[in-house]
């Protein structure tokens, strides 16, 4: 089989997986495939392995198999970590497993008082649990991203988002997460996930995201 043909096969497998995997949302009343992200990681890893092997003139099939194995391991670890965090954290913390990363979204209204960047005492406990999870799964890097709505000036919102991201990162550091694993980013009002035209949308936009990224192996 040529490299091009095998690449097409792997790509077809990815498409088939996406089409046949239901991936229902927990709590929707439908059964959810508990291993969806593991399988997704395996397919992504297979594509990566095949691509690397093709680029280096190595055996493409071997590269795809090795890559699929690595991807499956990463996907399995993310599945486990996400399940544990859902058990441990407040229901208002949204946890999304995309197959190659975990995204924890914390509404700023429960993290901070208005126009403040001091983490509320109630959420420090949840952030401590996140730190414990990060220490249990050390093969990851962490991005802490602060977001605001568009109330006030863009300059004020940018500075506030940076301070809030740093405040959340400080709690993770206090929980023992090494500083070299954490990156803080302020997005200000630039990446809304809802309309800023009403309070319900602005509330969604005021948030801090903790993105957990598996390290390349």
């Amino acid at each position: 089989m040529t490299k091009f043909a095998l690449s097409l096969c792997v790509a077809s497998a990815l498409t088939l997986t996406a089409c046949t995997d239901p991936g229902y949302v927990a709590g929707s009343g439908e059964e959810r495939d508990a291993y969806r992200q593991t399988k997704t990681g395996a397919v992504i890893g297979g594509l990566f392995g095949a691509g690397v092997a093709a680029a280096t003139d190595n055996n493409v099939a071997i590269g795809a198999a090795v890559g699929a194995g690595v991807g499956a391991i990463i996907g399995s670890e993310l599945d486990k970590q996400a399940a544990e965090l859902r058990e441990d954290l407040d229901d208002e913390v949204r946890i999304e497993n995309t197959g190659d990363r975990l995204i924890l979204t914390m509404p700023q209204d429960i993290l901070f008082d208005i126009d403040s960047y001091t983490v509320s005492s109630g959420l420090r406990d949840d952030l401590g649990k996140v730190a414990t999870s990060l220490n249990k799964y050390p093969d990851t890097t962490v991005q802490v991203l602060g977001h605001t709505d568009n109330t006030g000036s863009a300059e004020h919102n940018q500075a506030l988002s940076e301070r809030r991201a740093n405040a959340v990162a400080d709690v993770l550091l206090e929980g023992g997460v090494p500083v070299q694993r954490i990156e803080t980013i302020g997005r200000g009002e630039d990446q809304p996930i809802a309309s800023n035209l009403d309070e319900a949308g602005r509330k969604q936009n005021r948030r801090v995201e903790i993105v957990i990224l598996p390290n390349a192996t």
Side-chain angles (χ1 to χ4, degrees):
M1 181 182 290
T2 67
K3 295 175 183 177
F4 177 73
L6 184 58
S7 297
L8 283 179
C9 289
V10 178
S12 299
L14 178 59
T15 303
L16 181 60
T17 301
C19 292
T20 58
D21 189 348
Y24 298 129
V25 176
S28 66
E30 299 168 308
E31 289 189 13
R32 180 180 181 275
D33 184 346
Y35 301 101
R36 180 188 184 202
Q37 305 305 346
T38 302
K39 293 188 295 185
T40 302
V43 176
I44 292 172
L47 284 168
F48 174 78
V52 169
T56 57
D57 288 329
N58 291 328
N59 187 295
V60 180
I62 293 175
V66 172
V70 172
I73 292 170
I74 290 173
S76 177
E77 290 289 283
L78 290 177
D79 284 336
K80 287 168 54 182
Q81 189 174 13
E84 292 168 4
L85 286 168
R86 289 189 182 102
E87 286 288 324
D88 291 342
L89 300 182
D90 188 281
D91 289 341
E92 290 192 77
V93 178
R94 184 160 57 88
I95 301 168
E96 180 184 4
N97 183 354
T98 67
D100 65 345
R101 69 194 63 196
L102 296 183
I103 304 173
L104 282 61
T105 303
M106 297 183 165
Q108 288 191 359
D109 289 357
I110 65 172
L111 272 173
F112 307 101
D113 290 331
I114 294 175
D115 214 31
S116 168
Y117 53 90
T118 300
V119 178
S120 69
S121 56
L123 262 291
R124 290 185 73 89
D125 182 56
D126 270 351
L127 289 174
K129 292 174 181 176
V130 173
T132 298
S133 176
L134 292 173
N135 290 328
K136 181 178 179 180
Y137 297 91
D139 246 358
T140 58
T141 55
V142 185
Q143 294 178 339
V144 183
L145 299 95
H147 300 268
T148 71
D149 61 26
N150 69 348
T151 304
S153 71
E155 293 79 6
H156 174 79
N157 289 331
Q158 178 62 37
L160 183 61
S161 70
E162 292 171 4
R163 293 189 185 103
R164 286 180 166 177
N166 287 330
V168 169
D170 285 344
V171 180
L172 298 180
L173 291 170
E174 291 169 11
V177 182
V179 65
Q180 62 269 23
R181 289 180 62 192
I182 301 176
E183 178 185 11
T184 60
I185 303 169
R187 297 296 192 196
E189 61 188 57
D190 291 340
Q191 293 185 351
I193 57 174
S195 170
N196 276 309
L197 296 178
D198 56 62
E199 178 51 33
R202 290 191 293 271
K203 184 175 180 179
Q204 292 183 62
N205 293 332
R206 297 190 297 265
R207 68 198 190 277
V208 171
E209 294 172 336
I210 300 174
V211 182
I212 303 171
L213 297 156
N215 296 331
T217 56

